[in-house]
Amino acid sequence: MLLVGSFAFSQESKKTSTYNYGYNGMEYVVITSNETTIVSTFNSKHQIKDEIAANVYNQVKEGNFTTGDTIVIVGNNAKVTGKCYISKKGKLRAVNFYYEKVEWNDGLTEIYKKV
């Protein structure tokens, strides 16, 4: 029984690592008759940056948080925690999302650490 239990838990090994690199840039642009919204991501992971940016936009559009909030965005391959800053000038809304932690579905957790 002990051997079976330890084997089951070893299959779900969680690993945590840090990273100090990432992609920065405009990832998602939405133009409507009322405004233009630009979602930029910082310290993002290349594999999921487009999907996460689209999900950030959807959360902003629904009004689920305000500027400076720490938010969690769930994607197909990972769950991303980060800070979101929103600014608006005229018809332009800028949404800046800073990755802090990426929890991949395979059990790896990556935490951004500035060098």
Side-chain angles (χ1 to χ4, degrees):
M1 182 80 111
L2 181 60
L3 182 60
V4 171
S6 64
F7 180 76
F9 285 113
S10 69
Q11 295 298 320
E12 297 178 18
S13 64
K14 304 276 185 194
K15 183 177 179 189
T16 301
S17 68
T18 60
Y19 71 101
N20 59 4
Y21 58 89
Y23 292 87
N24 301 331
M26 293 186 293
E27 303 300 338
Y28 198 73
V29 178
V30 177
I31 301 171
T32 65
S33 60
N34 296 335
E35 69 180 0
T36 299
T37 302
I38 299 172
V39 178
S40 299
T41 60
F42 300 88
N43 314 317
S44 65
K45 304 304 281 185
H46 180 72
Q47 303 92 321
I48 58 173
K49 64 184 178 65
D50 295 330
E51 177 190 15
I52 297 301
N55 288 348
V56 167
Y57 170 75
N58 290 330
Q59 294 295 317
V60 168
K61 183 176 71 172
E62 293 174 11
N64 292 339
F65 55 88
T66 59
T67 190
D69 285 351
T70 298
I71 62 171
V72 177
I73 302 294
V74 178
N76 292 330
N77 298 317
K79 179 170 66 169
V80 178
T81 303
K83 287 256 191 212
C84 191
Y85 298 95
I86 305 165
S87 60
K88 187 169 181 166
K89 186 172 187 177
K91 289 189 170 193
L92 177 64
R93 178 169 49 173
V95 179
N96 297 323
F97 181 69
Y98 293 82
Y99 282 51
E100 294 178 341
K101 179 172 65 170
V102 180
E103 297 173 79
W104 296 95
N105 292 346
D106 66 2
L108 173 64
T109 298
E110 293 182 289
I111 299 171
Y112 178 76
K113 184 177 181 182
K114 190 174 182 177
V115 178

